[in-house]
Amino acid sequence: YVCLTKFSETPAPFGVAHLTIVLSTLFGGLIIPLVIVNTMYETVDIYGSAISSFLIVTCILNVQYVSAELDDPFGSDPNDLELESLMEGTTM
């Protein structure tokens, strides 16, 4: 239990979190759409490249949001771990 609380109270470094958000936004919002439009423009119409670009960027940003939710598994959210039931299971 002490190790769990130590893990839950140690924050992630701000620089790592900020760099991850900036790079995923830059990469997903600017670089991927430009690369897809440049490579798919000759073979597929503009709508196909826009749809594939949107899907790829959405997947990258969803991974970002899921990792932010998994960053703090101890709390009062519905999908967080229940420390009380874990504690009861280890002591009995």
Side-chain angles (χ1 to χ4, degrees):
Y1 181 75
V2 174
C3 292
L4 288 176
T5 56
K6 182 191 294 186
F7 178 72
S8 69
E9 293 172 354
T10 304
F14 175 75
V16 172
H18 183 68
L19 184 65
T20 303
I21 291 170
V22 167
L23 287 179
S24 66
T25 304
L26 178 72
F27 186 70
L30 183 66
I31 295 173
I32 287 180
L34 291 176
V35 168
I36 287 177
V37 166
N38 285 335
T39 57
M40 295 181 70
Y41 187 72
E42 299 292 326
T43 58
V44 181
D45 59 347
I46 192 71
Y47 298 112
S49 61
I51 289 172
S52 63
S53 158
F54 173 76
L55 290 175
I56 291 172
V57 169
T58 303
C59 289
I60 288 173
L61 293 178
N62 282 331
V63 167
Q64 173 73 28
Y65 293 136
V66 167
S67 67
E69 185 66 33
L70 291 176
D71 185 37
D72 186 22
F74 309 108
S76 60
D77 292 337
N79 59 346
D80 288 340
L81 295 173
E82 298 176 8
L83 291 179
E84 291 82 17
S85 64
L86 290 174
M87 184 69 179
E88 290 173 5
T90 57
T91 57
M92 291 186 165

Coordinates of all heavy atoms in Angstrom, one line a residue:
Y1 N 0.8 -1.2 0.0 CA 0.0 0.0 0.0 C 0.9 1.3 0.0 O 0.6 2.2 -0.7 CB -0.9 0.0 1.2 CG -1.9 1.2 1.3 CD1 -2.9 1.3 0.4 CD2 -1.6 2.2 2.2 CE1 -3.8 2.4 0.4 CE2 -2.5 3.3 2.2 CZ -3.5 3.4 1.3 OH -4.4 4.4 1.4
V2 N 2.0 1.2 0.7 CA 2.9 2.4 0.8 C 3.5 2.7 -0.6 O 3.6 3.8 -1.0 CB 3.9 2.2 1.9 CG1 4.9 3.3 1.8 CG2 3.3 2.0 3.2
C3 N 3.8 1.6 -1.3 CA 4.4 1.8 -2.6 C 3.3 2.4 -3.6 O 3.7 3.2 -4.5 CB 4.9 0.5 -3.2 SG 6.4 -0.1 -2.3
L4 N 2.1 1.9 -3.4 CA 1.0 2.5 -4.3 C 0.8 4.0 -4.1 O 0.7 4.7 -5.0 CB -0.3 1.7 -4.1 CG -0.3 0.3 -4.6 CD1 -1.6 -0.4 -4.2 CD2 -0.1 0.3 -6.1
T5 N 0.8 4.4 -2.8 CA 0.6 5.8 -2.5 C 1.8 6.6 -3.0 O 1.7 7.7 -3.4 CB 0.3 6.0 -1.0 OG1 1.4 5.5 -0.3 CG2 -1.0 5.4 -0.6
K6 N 3.0 6.0 -2.8 CA 4.2 6.8 -3.3 C 4.2 6.9 -4.8 O 4.5 8.0 -5.3 CB 5.5 6.0 -2.9 CG 6.8 6.7 -3.4 CD 8.0 5.9 -3.3 CE 8.3 5.5 -1.8 NZ 9.6 4.8 -1.7
F7 N 3.7 5.9 -5.5 CA 3.6 6.0 -7.0 C 2.5 7.0 -7.4 O 2.7 7.7 -8.3 CB 3.2 4.6 -7.5 CG 3.0 4.6 -9.0 CD1 4.1 4.7 -9.9 CD2 1.8 4.4 -9.5 CE1 3.9 4.7 -11.2 CE2 1.6 4.4 -10.9 CZ 2.6 4.6 -11.7
S8 N 1.4 7.0 -6.6 CA 0.3 8.0 -7.0 C 0.6 9.4 -6.7 O 0.1 10.3 -7.3 CB -1.0 7.5 -6.3 OG -0.9 7.8 -4.9
E9 N 1.5 9.6 -5.7 CA 1.8 11.0 -5.3 C 3.0 11.6 -6.1 O 3.3 12.8 -6.0 CB 2.1 11.1 -3.8 CG 0.9 10.8 -3.0 CD 1.2 10.6 -1.5 OE1 2.4 10.6 -1.1 OE2 0.3 10.5 -0.7
T10 N 3.7 10.8 -6.8 CA 4.9 11.3 -7.6 C 4.4 11.8 -8.9 O 3.8 11.1 -9.8 CB 5.9 10.1 -7.9 OG1 6.3 9.6 -6.6 CG2 7.1 10.7 -8.6
P11 N 4.5 13.1 -9.2 CA 4.0 13.7 -10.4 C 4.9 13.4 -11.6 O 6.1 13.2 -11.4 CB 3.9 15.2 -10.1 CG 5.0 15.4 -9.1 CD 5.0 14.1 -8.3
A12 N 4.3 13.4 -12.8 CA 5.1 13.2 -14.0 C 5.8 14.6 -14.2 O 5.2 15.6 -13.9 CB 4.2 12.9 -15.2
P13 N 7.0 14.6 -14.7 CA 7.7 15.8 -15.0 C 7.0 16.7 -16.0 O 6.4 16.1 -17.0 CB 9.1 15.4 -15.5 CG 9.2 14.0 -15.2 CD 7.8 13.4 -15.0
F14 N 6.9 18.0 -15.7 CA 6.1 18.9 -16.6 C 6.7 18.9 -18.0 O 6.0 19.0 -19.0 CB 6.1 20.3 -16.0 CG 5.4 21.3 -16.9 CD1 4.0 21.3 -17.1 CD2 6.1 22.2 -17.6 CE1 3.4 22.1 -17.9 CE2 5.5 23.1 -18.5 CZ 4.2 23.1 -18.6
G15 N 8.0 18.9 -18.1 CA 8.7 19.0 -19.4 C 8.3 17.8 -20.3 O 8.1 18.0 -21.5
V16 N 8.2 16.6 -19.7 CA 7.9 15.4 -20.5 C 6.5 15.5 -21.0 O 6.2 15.3 -22.2 CB 8.1 14.2 -19.7 CG1 7.6 12.9 -20.4 CG2 9.6 14.0 -19.4
A17 N 5.6 15.9 -20.1 CA 4.1 16.0 -20.5 C 3.9 17.1 -21.5 O 3.2 16.9 -22.5 CB 3.3 16.3 -19.3
H18 N 4.6 18.2 -21.3 CA 4.4 19.3 -22.3 C 5.0 19.0 -23.6 O 4.4 19.3 -24.7 CB 5.1 20.6 -21.7 CG 4.9 21.8 -22.6 ND1 3.7 22.4 -22.7 CD2 5.8 22.5 -23.3 CE1 3.9 23.4 -23.5 NE2 5.1 23.5 -23.9
L19 N 6.2 18.4 -23.7 CA 6.8 18.0 -24.9 C 6.0 17.0 -25.7 O 5.9 17.1 -26.9 CB 8.2 17.5 -24.7 CG 9.1 17.1 -25.9 CD1 9.4 18.4 -26.7 CD2 10.3 16.4 -25.5
T20 N 5.4 16.0 -25.0 CA 4.5 15.0 -25.6 C 3.3 15.7 -26.3 O 3.0 15.4 -27.4 CB 4.1 14.0 -24.6 OG1 5.2 13.4 -24.0 CG2 3.3 12.9 -25.2
I21 N 2.7 16.6 -25.6 CA 1.5 17.3 -26.1 C 1.9 18.2 -27.3 O 1.3 18.1 -28.4 CB 0.9 18.2 -25.1 CG1 0.2 17.3 -24.0 CG2 -0.2 19.1 -25.7 CD1 -0.3 18.0 -22.8
V22 N 3.0 18.9 -27.2 CA 3.4 19.8 -28.3 C 3.8 18.9 -29.6 O 3.4 19.2 -30.7 CB 4.6 20.7 -27.9 CG1 5.3 21.3 -29.1 CG2 4.1 21.7 -26.9
L23 N 4.6 17.9 -29.4 CA 5.0 17.1 -30.5 C 3.9 16.3 -31.2 O 3.8 16.2 -32.4 CB 6.1 16.1 -30.1 CG 7.5 16.8 -29.8 CD1 8.5 15.7 -29.4 CD2 8.0 17.5 -31.0
S24 N 3.0 15.8 -30.4 CA 1.9 15.1 -31.0 C 0.9 16.0 -31.7 O 0.4 15.7 -32.7 CB 1.1 14.3 -29.9 OG 0.5 15.1 -29.0
T25 N 0.8 17.2 -31.2 CA -0.1 18.2 -31.9 C 0.6 18.7 -33.2 O 0.0 18.8 -34.2 CB -0.4 19.4 -31.0 OG1 -1.0 18.9 -29.8 CG2 -1.3 20.4 -31.6
L26 N 1.9 19.0 -33.1 CA 2.6 19.4 -34.3 C 2.7 18.3 -35.3 O 2.4 18.5 -36.5 CB 4.0 19.8 -33.9 CG 4.9 20.3 -35.0 CD1 4.5 21.6 -35.6 CD2 6.4 20.3 -34.6
F27 N 3.0 17.1 -34.9 CA 3.2 16.0 -35.8 C 1.8 15.6 -36.4 O 1.7 15.4 -37.6 CB 3.8 14.8 -35.1 CG 4.1 13.6 -35.9 CD1 5.1 13.7 -36.9 CD2 3.4 12.4 -35.8 CE1 5.4 12.6 -37.7 CE2 3.7 11.4 -36.6 CZ 4.7 11.5 -37.6
G28 N 0.8 15.5 -35.5 CA -0.5 15.0 -36.0 C -1.3 16.1 -36.7 O -2.1 15.8 -37.6
G29 N -1.1 17.4 -36.3 CA -1.9 18.4 -36.9 C -1.3 19.1 -38.1 O -2.0 19.7 -38.9
L30 N 0.0 19.0 -38.3 CA 0.6 19.6 -39.4 C 1.4 18.7 -40.4 O 1.2 18.7 -41.6 CB 1.6 20.7 -38.9 CG 2.3 21.6 -39.9 CD1 1.2 22.5 -40.6 CD2 3.3 22.5 -39.3
I31 N 2.3 17.9 -39.8 CA 3.2 17.1 -40.6 C 2.4 16.0 -41.3 O 2.6 15.8 -42.5 CB 4.4 16.6 -39.8 CG1 5.2 17.8 -39.3 CG2 5.2 15.6 -40.6 CD1 6.3 17.5 -38.4
I32 N 1.6 15.2 -40.6 CA 1.0 14.0 -41.2 C 0.0 14.5 -42.3 O 0.0 13.9 -43.4 CB 0.3 13.2 -40.1 CG1 1.3 12.4 -39.3 CG2 -0.7 12.2 -40.8 CD1 0.8 11.6 -38.3
P33 N -0.9 15.5 -42.1 CA -1.7 15.9 -43.2 C -1.0 16.3 -44.5 O -1.4 16.0 -45.6 CB -2.6 17.0 -42.6 CG -2.6 16.8 -41.2 CD -1.3 16.2 -40.9
L34 N 0.1 17.1 -44.3 CA 0.9 17.5 -45.4 C 1.5 16.3 -46.2 O 1.5 16.3 -47.4 CB 2.0 18.5 -45.0 CG 1.5 19.9 -44.5 CD1 2.6 20.7 -44.1 CD2 0.7 20.6 -45.6
V35 N 2.0 15.4 -45.4 CA 2.7 14.2 -46.1 C 1.6 13.4 -46.8 O 1.8 12.9 -47.9 CB 3.4 13.4 -45.0 CG1 3.8 12.0 -45.6 CG2 4.6 14.1 -44.5
I36 N 0.5 13.2 -46.2 CA -0.6 12.4 -46.8 C -1.1 13.1 -48.1 O -1.3 12.4 -49.1 CB -1.7 12.1 -45.8 CG1 -1.2 11.1 -44.8 CG2 -3.0 11.6 -46.5 CD1 -2.2 10.8 -43.7
V37 N -1.3 14.4 -48.0 CA -1.8 15.1 -49.2 C -0.8 15.0 -50.3 O -1.1 14.8 -51.5 CB -2.2 16.5 -48.8 CG1 -2.4 17.4 -50.1 CG2 -3.4 16.6 -48.0
N38 N 0.5 15.2 -50.0 CA 1.5 15.1 -51.0 C 1.7 13.7 -51.6 O 1.9 13.6 -52.8 CB 2.9 15.6 -50.5 CG 2.9 17.1 -50.3 OD1 2.2 17.8 -51.0 ND2 3.8 17.5 -49.4
T39 N 1.5 12.7 -50.8 CA 1.7 11.4 -51.4 C 0.5 10.8 -52.0 O 0.6 10.0 -53.0 CB 2.2 10.4 -50.3 OG1 1.2 10.4 -49.2 CG2 3.6 10.8 -49.7
M40 N -0.7 11.1 -51.5 CA -1.9 10.6 -52.1 C -2.6 11.4 -53.1 O -3.6 11.0 -53.7 CB -2.9 10.3 -50.9 CG -2.4 9.2 -50.0 SD -3.6 8.9 -48.7 CE -4.9 8.1 -49.6
Y41 N -2.1 12.6 -53.4 CA -2.8 13.5 -54.3 C -2.8 13.0 -55.7 O -3.7 13.2 -56.4 CB -2.1 14.9 -54.2 CG -2.9 15.9 -55.0 CD1 -4.1 16.4 -54.5 CD2 -2.4 16.4 -56.2 CE1 -4.8 17.4 -55.2 CE2 -3.1 17.4 -56.9 CZ -4.3 17.8 -56.4 OH -5.0 18.8 -57.1
E42 N -1.7 12.3 -56.1 CA -1.6 11.8 -57.5 C -2.5 10.6 -57.7 O -3.1 10.4 -58.8 CB -0.2 11.4 -57.8 CG 0.8 12.6 -57.7 CD 0.5 13.6 -58.8 OE1 0.2 13.2 -59.9 OE2 0.7 14.8 -58.5
T43 N -2.7 9.7 -56.7 CA -3.4 8.5 -56.8 C -4.9 8.6 -56.3 O -5.7 7.9 -56.9 CB -2.7 7.3 -56.1 OG1 -2.6 7.7 -54.7 CG2 -1.3 7.1 -56.7
V44 N -5.1 9.3 -55.3 CA -6.4 9.4 -54.7 C -6.9 10.8 -54.7 O -6.1 11.7 -54.7 CB -6.4 8.9 -53.2 CG1 -7.8 8.9 -52.6 CG2 -5.8 7.5 -53.2
D45 N -8.2 11.0 -54.8 CA -8.7 12.4 -54.8 C -8.5 13.1 -53.5 O -8.0 12.5 -52.5 CB -10.2 12.4 -55.2 CG -11.0 11.6 -54.2 OD1 -10.5 10.9 -53.4 OD2 -12.3 11.8 -54.2
I46 N -8.8 14.4 -53.4 CA -8.5 15.2 -52.2 C -9.4 14.7 -51.1 O -9.0 14.8 -49.9 CB -8.7 16.7 -52.6 CG1 -8.2 17.6 -51.4 CG2 -10.2 17.0 -52.8 CD1 -6.7 17.6 -51.3
Y47 N -10.6 14.2 -51.3 CA -11.4 13.7 -50.3 C -10.9 12.5 -49.6 O -10.9 12.3 -48.4 CB -12.8 13.5 -50.8 CG -13.5 14.7 -51.3 CD1 -13.7 14.8 -52.7 CD2 -13.8 15.7 -50.5 CE1 -14.3 15.9 -53.2 CE2 -14.4 16.9 -51.0 CZ -14.7 17.0 -52.4 OH -15.2 18.1 -52.9
G48 N -10.3 11.6 -50.3 CA -9.7 10.4 -49.7 C -8.5 10.7 -48.9 O -8.3 10.2 -47.8
S49 N -7.7 11.7 -49.3 CA -6.5 12.1 -48.5 C -7.0 12.8 -47.3 O -6.4 12.7 -46.2 CB -5.5 12.9 -49.3 OG -6.2 14.1 -49.8
A50 N -8.0 13.6 -47.4 CA -8.5 14.3 -46.2 C -9.1 13.4 -45.2 O -8.9 13.5 -44.0 CB -9.6 15.4 -46.6
I51 N -9.8 12.4 -45.6 CA -10.4 11.4 -44.7 C -9.3 10.6 -44.0 O -9.4 10.4 -42.8 CB -11.5 10.5 -45.4 CG1 -12.7 11.3 -45.8 CG2 -11.8 9.3 -44.6 CD1 -13.7 10.6 -46.7
S52 N -8.4 10.1 -44.8 CA -7.3 9.3 -44.2 C -6.5 10.1 -43.2 O -6.0 9.7 -42.2 CB -6.4 8.7 -45.3 OG -5.8 9.7 -46.0
S53 N -6.2 11.4 -43.6 CA -5.5 12.3 -42.7 C -6.3 12.5 -41.4 O -5.7 12.5 -40.3 CB -5.2 13.6 -43.4 OG -5.0 14.6 -42.5
F54 N -7.6 12.7 -41.5 CA -8.4 12.9 -40.3 C -8.4 11.7 -39.4 O -8.3 11.8 -38.2 CB -9.8 13.2 -40.7 CG -10.8 13.3 -39.6 CD1 -10.8 14.4 -38.7 CD2 -11.7 12.3 -39.3 CE1 -11.7 14.5 -37.7 CE2 -12.5 12.3 -38.3 CZ -12.6 13.4 -37.4
L55 N -8.5 10.5 -40.0 CA -8.5 9.3 -39.2 C -7.1 9.1 -38.5 O -7.1 8.7 -37.3 CB -8.8 8.1 -40.0 CG -10.3 8.0 -40.6 CD1 -10.4 6.9 -41.5 CD2 -11.2 7.9 -39.4
I56 N -6.0 9.3 -39.1 CA -4.7 9.1 -38.5 C -4.5 10.1 -37.4 O -4.0 9.8 -36.3 CB -3.6 9.2 -39.6 CG1 -3.7 8.0 -40.5 CG2 -2.3 9.3 -38.9 CD1 -2.8 8.0 -41.7
V57 N -4.9 11.4 -37.6 CA -4.7 12.4 -36.6 C -5.6 12.1 -35.4 O -5.2 12.3 -34.2 CB -4.9 13.8 -37.2 CG1 -5.0 14.8 -36.1 CG2 -3.9 14.1 -38.2
T58 N -6.8 11.7 -35.6 CA -7.7 11.3 -34.6 C -7.2 10.2 -33.7 O -7.3 10.2 -32.5 CB -9.1 10.9 -35.1 OG1 -9.6 12.0 -35.9 CG2 -10.1 10.6 -34.0
C59 N -6.6 9.2 -34.4 CA -6.0 8.1 -33.6 C -4.8 8.5 -32.8 O -4.7 8.1 -31.6 CB -5.5 7.0 -34.6 SG -6.9 6.1 -35.4
I60 N -4.0 9.4 -33.3 CA -2.8 9.9 -32.5 C -3.3 10.7 -31.3 O -2.8 10.5 -30.2 CB -1.9 10.7 -33.4 CG1 -1.2 9.8 -34.4 CG2 -0.9 11.5 -32.6 CD1 -0.3 10.5 -35.4
L61 N -4.3 11.6 -31.5 CA -4.8 12.4 -30.4 C -5.5 11.5 -29.4 O -5.5 11.8 -28.2 CB -5.6 13.5 -30.9 CG -4.8 14.6 -31.7 CD1 -5.8 15.6 -32.2 CD2 -3.7 15.2 -30.9
N62 N -6.2 10.5 -29.8 CA -6.9 9.6 -28.9 C -5.9 8.8 -28.0 O -6.1 8.6 -26.8 CB -7.8 8.6 -29.6 CG -9.1 9.3 -30.0 OD1 -9.5 10.2 -29.3 ND2 -9.7 8.8 -31.0
V63 N -4.8 8.4 -28.6 CA -3.7 7.8 -27.8 C -3.2 8.7 -26.7 O -2.9 8.4 -25.6 CB -2.6 7.3 -28.7 CG1 -1.4 6.9 -27.9 CG2 -3.1 6.1 -29.5
Q64 N -3.1 10.0 -27.1 CA -2.6 11.1 -26.2 C -3.6 11.2 -25.0 O -3.2 11.3 -23.8 CB -2.5 12.4 -26.9 CG -2.2 13.6 -26.0 CD -0.8 13.6 -25.5 OE1 0.1 13.0 -26.1 NE2 -0.6 14.1 -24.3
Y65 N -4.9 11.2 -25.3 CA -5.9 11.4 -24.3 C -6.0 10.1 -23.4 O -6.2 10.2 -22.1 CB -7.3 11.6 -24.9 CG -7.4 13.0 -25.5 CD1 -8.0 13.1 -26.8 CD2 -6.8 14.1 -25.0 CE1 -8.0 14.3 -27.4 CE2 -6.9 15.3 -25.6 CZ -7.5 15.4 -26.8 OH -7.5 16.6 -27.4
V66 N -5.9 8.9 -23.9 CA -5.9 7.7 -23.1 C -4.7 7.7 -22.2 O -4.8 7.3 -21.0 CB -5.9 6.5 -24.0 CG1 -5.6 5.2 -23.3 CG2 -7.3 6.4 -24.7
S67 N -3.5 8.1 -22.7 CA -2.3 8.1 -21.8 C -2.4 9.1 -20.7 O -2.0 8.9 -19.6 CB -1.1 8.3 -22.7 OG -1.1 9.7 -23.2
A68 N -3.1 10.2 -21.0 CA -3.3 11.2 -19.9 C -4.3 10.6 -18.9 O -4.1 10.9 -17.7 CB -3.9 12.5 -20.5
E69 N -5.3 9.9 -19.3 CA -6.2 9.3 -18.3 C -5.5 8.2 -17.5 O -5.8 8.0 -16.3 CB -7.4 8.7 -19.1 CG -8.5 8.2 -18.2 CD -9.2 9.2 -17.4 OE1 -9.3 10.4 -17.8 OE2 -9.6 8.9 -16.2
L70 N -4.6 7.4 -18.1 CA -3.9 6.3 -17.4 C -2.8 6.9 -16.6 O -2.2 6.1 -15.8 CB -3.4 5.3 -18.4 CG -4.4 4.5 -19.2 CD1 -3.7 3.6 -20.2 CD2 -5.2 3.7 -18.2
D71 N -2.5 8.1 -16.7 CA -1.4 8.7 -15.9 C -1.7 8.7 -14.4 O -0.8 8.6 -13.6 CB -1.1 10.1 -16.4 CG 0.1 10.7 -15.8 OD1 1.1 10.0 -15.5 OD2 0.1 11.9 -15.5
D72 N -2.9 8.9 -14.1 CA -3.3 8.9 -12.7 C -4.4 7.9 -12.4 O -5.6 8.1 -12.5 CB -3.8 10.3 -12.3 CG -4.1 10.4 -10.8 OD1 -3.5 9.7 -10.0 OD2 -4.9 11.3 -10.4
P73 N -3.9 6.6 -12.1 CA -4.9 5.6 -11.9 C -5.6 5.6 -10.5 O -6.5 4.8 -10.2 CB -4.1 4.3 -12.1 CG -2.8 4.7 -11.6 CD -2.6 6.1 -12.0
F74 N -5.1 6.4 -9.6 CA -5.7 6.5 -8.2 C -6.4 7.8 -8.1 O -5.8 8.9 -8.2 CB -4.5 6.4 -7.2 CG -3.6 5.3 -7.4 CD1 -2.3 5.5 -7.9 CD2 -4.0 4.0 -7.2 CE1 -1.5 4.5 -8.1 CE2 -3.2 2.9 -7.4 CZ -1.9 3.2 -7.9
G75 N -7.7 7.7 -7.9 CA -8.5 8.9 -7.7 C -9.9 8.6 -7.5 O -10.3 7.5 -7.0
S76 N -10.8 9.5 -7.9 CA -12.2 9.3 -7.7 C -13.0 9.2 -9.1 O -14.2 9.2 -9.1 CB -12.8 10.5 -7.0 OG -12.6 11.7 -7.7
D77 N -12.3 9.0 -10.2 CA -13.0 8.8 -11.4 C -13.6 7.4 -11.5 O -13.1 6.5 -10.8 CB -12.0 8.9 -12.6 CG -11.5 10.4 -12.8 OD1 -12.2 11.3 -12.3 OD2 -10.4 10.6 -13.3
P78 N -14.6 7.1 -12.3 CA -15.2 5.8 -12.4 C -14.2 4.7 -12.8 O -14.4 3.5 -12.5 CB -16.3 6.0 -13.4 CG -16.6 7.4 -13.4 CD -15.3 8.1 -13.1
N79 N -13.2 5.0 -13.6 CA -12.3 4.0 -14.1 C -11.0 3.9 -13.3 O -10.1 3.2 -13.8 CB -12.0 4.2 -15.6 CG -11.4 5.6 -15.8 OD1 -11.4 6.4 -15.0 ND2 -10.9 5.8 -17.0
D80 N -10.9 4.5 -12.2 CA -9.7 4.4 -11.4 C -9.7 3.2 -10.5 O -10.8 2.6 -10.3 CB -9.6 5.7 -10.5 CG -9.3 6.9 -11.2 OD1 -8.7 6.8 -12.4 OD2 -9.5 8.0 -10.7
L81 N -8.6 2.8 -10.0 CA -8.4 1.7 -9.2 C -9.0 1.9 -7.8 O -8.9 3.0 -7.3 CB -6.9 1.3 -9.0 CG -6.2 0.8 -10.3 CD1 -4.7 0.7 -10.0 CD2 -6.8 -0.5 -10.8
E82 N -9.6 0.9 -7.2 CA -10.2 1.1 -5.9 C -9.2 0.6 -4.9 O -8.9 -0.6 -4.7 CB -11.5 0.2 -5.8 CG -12.6 0.7 -6.7 CD -13.8 -0.2 -6.7 OE1 -13.9 -1.0 -5.8 OE2 -14.7 0.0 -7.5
L83 N -8.5 1.5 -4.2 CA -7.5 1.2 -3.3 C -8.0 0.4 -2.1 O -7.3 -0.4 -1.5 CB -6.7 2.4 -2.9 CG -5.9 3.1 -3.9 CD1 -5.2 4.3 -3.4 CD2 -4.8 2.1 -4.4
E84 N -9.2 0.8 -1.6 CA -9.8 0.1 -0.4 C -10.0 -1.4 -0.7 O -9.6 -2.2 0.2 CB -11.1 0.8 0.0 CG -11.0 2.2 0.5 CD -10.9 3.2 -0.6 OE1 -11.2 2.9 -1.8 OE2 -10.4 4.3 -0.3
S85 N -10.5 -1.8 -1.8 CA -10.7 -3.2 -2.1 C -9.4 -3.9 -2.3 O -9.2 -5.1 -1.9 CB -11.6 -3.4 -3.3 OG -11.0 -2.8 -4.5
L86 N -8.4 -3.2 -2.9 CA -7.1 -3.8 -3.1 C -6.4 -4.0 -1.7 O -5.8 -5.0 -1.5 CB -6.2 -3.0 -3.9 CG -6.5 -2.9 -5.4 CD1 -5.7 -1.9 -6.1 CD2 -6.4 -4.2 -6.1
M87 N -6.6 -3.1 -0.8 CA -6.1 -3.2 0.5 C -6.7 -4.3 1.3 O -6.0 -5.1 2.0 CB -6.2 -1.9 1.3 CG -5.6 -1.8 2.6 SD -3.9 -1.8 2.4 CE -3.4 -1.7 4.2
E88 N -8.0 -4.5 1.2 CA -8.7 -5.6 1.9 C -8.3 -6.9 1.3 O -8.2 -7.9 2.1 CB -10.2 -5.4 1.7 CG -10.8 -4.2 2.5 CD -12.3 -4.0 2.2 OE1 -12.9 -4.8 1.5 OE2 -12.8 -3.0 2.7
G89 N -8.1 -7.0 0.0 CA -7.6 -8.2 -0.6 C -6.2 -8.7 -0.2 O -5.9 -9.9 -0.1
T90 N -5.4 -7.7 0.1 CA -4.0 -8.1 0.5 C -3.9 -8.4 2.0 O -3.0 -9.1 2.4 CB -3.0 -6.9 0.1 OG1 -3.5 -5.7 0.8 CG2 -3.0 -6.7 -1.3
T91 N -4.8 -7.8 2.8 CA -4.6 -8.0 4.3 C -5.3 -9.3 4.7 O -5.0 -9.8 5.8 CB -5.2 -6.9 5.1 OG1 -6.5 -6.6 4.7 CG2 -4.4 -5.6 4.8
M92 N -6.2 -9.8 4.0 CA -7.0 -11.0 4.4 C -6.3 -12.3 3.9 O -5.6 -12.5 3.2 CB -8.4 -11.0 3.9 CG -9.2 -9.9 4.6 SD -10.9 -10.1 4.1 CE -11.6 -9.1 5.3

